[in-house]
Amino acid sequence: MSEYVLELRDITKRFPGVVALNKVQFKLKKGEIHALMGENGAGKSTLIKTITGVHKPDEGQIFVNGEEVFFQNTNDSAAKSIAAIYQHSTTYLHLSVTENIFIGHEIRNKMGLLDWKEMHRIARELLQSLGSNINPRTLMGNLSVAEQQVVEISKAVSANAQIVIMDEPTAALSKRECEELYRITEQLKKEGKSIIFISHRLEDMYRLADTVTVFRDATYIGTWDIKEVTNEILVQAMVGREIKELYPKTKVKLGETALEVKGLSRMGYFRDVTFSVRRGEILGLTGLVGAGRSEVCQAVCGITPYDAGEVYLNGKAVHFTHPAQAMKHKLGYLPEDRQIQALLLPWEIYRNATLASLEKYSSPKGIDKKRECEDSEKLAARLSIKAKSIMEKAGSLSGGNQQKVVLAKLLNMDLDVLILDEPTKGVDVGAKSQIYEIMTELAEKGYAIVLISSEMPEVLAMSDRIAIMHEGSLVKILDREEATQEKMLAYAMNSADEMLKGGE
């Protein structure tokens, strides 16, 4: 018997015009949590699909428990006790929790009919074994992202999966939800399950993993014991170079106030929110998930309405009822969910990049496609978008490159105020560094920037001032010099008074 429950040797996978995996190696032990890391487009997703039978390798061998296997489809990999939980839910939202857990391996009674009573019972037991009280009769569409992931893990357990692949499971979770996922993952490990954990977040890796493997540009770079690896080794392995300064924030002379929000309120979402941003300034807007950060900024941009308050751009009162009005006034918004709110995935890169600025390409003869493509090529080069060409569909790109296309759309417009909502969410460390560089460059050019982020190190490093929200209220604005993670978290939890008293 092999010491590895899963082993990949010299796996190569080619698609037209690109090598997605180039003679890569991967080994997974029983009861091990093995982190797989790399930049967007490094080959991680292709590896998952190869392990689960979605793709067939062009070269190389796959072994499960020492036996060579040849997966023709996902049923073949499932028969070998392999299950995958993807970043974007693959559940059926219109079906119940029980139906999602047992789909493909339903329980039938002696008459051959579906035994719903038994399936509901087992589903409830599975969920409870993972520490969840989700009602198995609930529709999946009524659950949060975190709850949907618990159901997907329950599905894997119900199918007796011994190898569980988790693809960016923490990308859309709050800190509390992440802790719950960590607990469940460690529980699976104690039960002898072997887990491949894919994440861009170093904290996920350090919190869970025994071993880490890095891919770069479709190539295997190396494997390290978690106790021996350092941030510097990992970052250099992932990006191929040393990132000397991840957060390249520079001191900028601030100009006049560009955006001012006074007493903005929307019943049930936020109340009496007041802040301002000056030219050249990056204002961090943070707080716990559900604090109302995105909702305030969406109201400012005309995406959603507000009940009371005032918004000023360059000293003039404005009230937008549509984001197109905001853009005409040089205010742009990068939404949190790039796939649903920011991109047309079936469209080409160039069409997405120019979509919000078609007026400058329009003439009586129609749209000047040549100019569109020329400008898109320049933006793609500036942002280092990894694609065969700007004719590639946005939906075919990795998450980080999709985010760069959204950023390209903003940069192609004539704007001077930007609201960036979780701009580095689900983005690798190399792409993060590039996005920070662009933010710094824009601030130096006099843009006023609002950075909405849940990542406290990002907010601390990139902001001139930090506005902190709690349950719909803006409770504190801290200067860069006085801000700490402890202070930010205390205000975000509305416990700053107790913390400050304790420190006196």
Side-chain angles (χ1 to χ4, degrees):
M1 176 73 73
S2 171
E3 66 173 309
Y4 301 108
V5 294
L6 176 68
E7 185 176 0
L8 284 78
R9 299 179 189 170
D10 297 323
I11 295 293
T12 296
K13 180 63 185 175
R14 303 181 187 89
F15 296 105
V18 64
V19 178
L21 293 172
N22 186 15
K23 294 188 177 299
V24 300
Q25 322 290 324
F26 188 83
K27 296 177 180 179
L28 179 67
K29 294 179 180 179
K30 181 176 175 61
E32 175 185 50
I33 300 178
H34 195 137
L36 178 59
M37 305 191 76
E39 291 190 279
N40 295 108
K44 305 185 299 297
S45 295
T46 305
L47 186 80
I48 293 174
K49 290 175 180 176
T50 302
I51 293 171
T52 55
V54 176
H55 296 324
K56 298 177 190 175
D58 297 313
E59 298 171 18
Q61 298 170 290
I62 302 175
F63 296 85
V64 175
N65 294 317
E67 175 191 354
E68 187 171 6
V69 294
F70 303 90
F71 295 147
Q72 301 298 313
N73 50 49
T74 54
N75 289 334
D76 288 351
S77 63
K80 289 293 183 181
S81 301
I82 298 173
I85 298 157
Y86 294 98
Q87 176 183 358
H88 300 289
S89 178
T90 56
T91 56
Y92 297 92
L93 300 181
H94 61 288
L95 298 181
S96 70
V97 168
T98 296
E99 287 171 307
N100 273 276
I101 288 175
F102 285 100
I103 197 163
H105 57 282
E106 298 85 354
I107 297 174
R108 296 181 181 273
N109 59 25
K110 294 178 181 179
M111 303 285 291
L113 301 175
L114 293 174
D115 192 339
W116 288 110
K117 184 178 180 181
E118 181 67 3
M119 285 192 284
H120 284 316
R121 183 189 67 79
I122 294 174
R124 189 180 296 278
E125 286 181 358
L126 284 169
L127 292 162
Q128 288 177 344
S129 73
L130 296 175
S132 172
N133 291 317
I134 296 170
N135 186 334
R137 297 173 188 267
T138 304
L139 289 181
M140 283 293 287
N142 293 334
L143 301 182
S144 69
V145 173
E147 289 171 328
Q148 288 179 17
Q149 287 185 339
V150 172
V151 173
E152 292 215 57
I153 293 170
S154 298
K155 180 179 178 180
V157 174
S158 76
N160 196 32
Q162 298 301 307
I163 297 170
V164 180
I165 305 169
M166 297 185 178
D167 183 12
E168 292 285 353
T170 62
L173 303 187
S174 67
K175 190 170 184 63
R176 181 186 60 78
E177 290 169 336
C178 285
E179 286 297 330
E180 183 63 15
L181 182 73
Y182 295 155
R183 183 191 65 75
I184 291 171
T185 306
E186 288 170 335
Q187 180 179 326
L188 294 177
K189 175 186 172 179
K190 288 177 183 175
E191 293 171 1
K193 306 285 194 292
S194 304
I195 296 160
I196 302 173
F197 199 98
I198 298 170
S199 177
H200 291 306
R201 294 158 48 120
L202 294 176
E203 62 189 281
D204 289 346
M205 180 201 69
Y206 285 123
R207 176 72 170 73
L208 285 174
D210 304 297
T211 311
V212 57
T213 288
V214 173
F215 283 10
R216 183 177 74 240
D217 297 331
T219 304
Y220 169 81
I221 300 300
T223 298
W224 294 267
D225 186 293
I226 204 68
K227 296 174 183 175
E228 300 170 353
V229 76
T230 64
N231 278 5
E232 291 73 21
I233 291 172
L234 276 178
V235 171
Q236 190 153 2
M238 284 191 282
V239 303
R241 66 187 189 283
E242 182 181 1
I243 295 181
K244 294 181 179 178
E245 192 174 11
L246 177 59
Y247 304 107
K249 182 80 173 75
T250 58
K251 189 78 172 176
V252 176
K253 185 178 180 181
L254 304 185
E256 299 294 319
T257 298
L259 171 66
E260 188 173 9
V261 175
K262 290 185 177 180
L264 211 65
S265 298
R266 184 185 179 195
M267 188 173 290
Y269 292 91
F270 51 86
R271 59 193 172 278
D272 199 25
V273 174
T274 298
F275 64 86
S276 63
V277 197
R278 297 168 65 181
R279 294 185 178 278
E281 182 180 28
I282 298 176
L283 175 73
L285 183 57
T286 192
L288 303 179
V289 172
R293 304 161 304 171
S294 299
E295 288 81 359
V296 168
C297 291
Q298 287 169 1
V300 169
C301 296
I303 297 169
T304 55
Y306 55 89
D307 304 322
E310 300 165 314
V311 177
Y312 296 86
L313 273 176
N314 300 313
K316 295 182 180 179
V318 293
H319 188 154
F320 304 129
T321 57
H322 194 281
Q325 297 171 338
M327 289 187 286
K328 285 184 178 179
H329 284 76
K330 299 189 175 184
L331 167 62
Y333 175 71
L334 185 149
E336 179 179 3
D337 192 323
R338 54 182 168 258
Q339 293 202 337
I340 294 175
Q341 299 171 308
L343 291 172
L344 291 170
L345 298 176
W347 281 22
E348 297 86 347
I349 292 170
Y350 86 89
R351 292 176 73 192
N352 274 284
T354 59
L355 180 61
S357 47
L358 286 176
E359 283 185 7
K360 68 180 180 180
Y361 302 106
S362 300
S363 71
K365 296 180 180 179
I367 302 294
D368 189 340
K369 182 178 175 180
K370 183 180 178 183
R371 273 190 63 211
E372 274 190 289
C373 291
E374 287 173 352
D375 288 353
S376 298
E377 289 279 11
K378 291 174 185 175
L379 287 164
R382 178 182 177 188
L383 296 171
S384 302
I385 295 173
K386 291 182 180 178
K388 289 178 283 187
S389 79
I390 56 169
M391 297 299 170
E392 196 167 339
K393 308 292 186 187
S396 69
L397 302 179
S398 63
N401 284 300
Q402 287 181 357
Q403 190 75 322
K404 290 180 186 179
V405 175
V406 181
L407 200 52
K409 180 165 63 174
L410 288 180
L411 296 179
N412 198 40
M413 298 160 63
D414 183 19
L415 304 172
D416 52 31
V417 180
L418 289 177
I419 297 176
L420 307 178
D421 195 346
E422 301 285 2
T424 63
K425 179 179 173 182
V427 169
D428 63 72
V429 67
K432 277 186 178 182
S433 179
Q434 288 178 308
I435 290 171
Y436 297 145
E437 286 174 10
I438 290 164
M439 286 172 58
T440 299
E441 176 189 325
L442 294 174
E444 289 172 346
K445 288 181 177 179
Y447 281 68
I449 299 172
V450 178
L451 168 63
I452 304 173
S453 178
S454 304
E455 293 194 27
M456 289 192 178
E458 176 175 275
V459 174
L460 280 167
M462 293 302 297
S463 305
D464 295 289
R465 290 183 302 138
I466 299 165
I468 305 162
M469 293 192 67
H470 170 77
E471 293 184 355
S473 295
L474 200 159
V475 294
K476 185 70 174 177
I477 296 180
L478 297 171
D479 288 330
R480 178 185 178 89
E481 292 74 19
E482 63 176 321
T484 64
Q485 285 203 43
E486 291 75 19
K487 279 187 182 179
M488 288 165 59
L489 187 58
Y491 282 112
M493 296 177 68
N494 204 28
S495 60
D497 290 342
E498 289 82 354
M499 183 199 77
L500 294 172
K501 284 176 187 175
E504 288 175 356

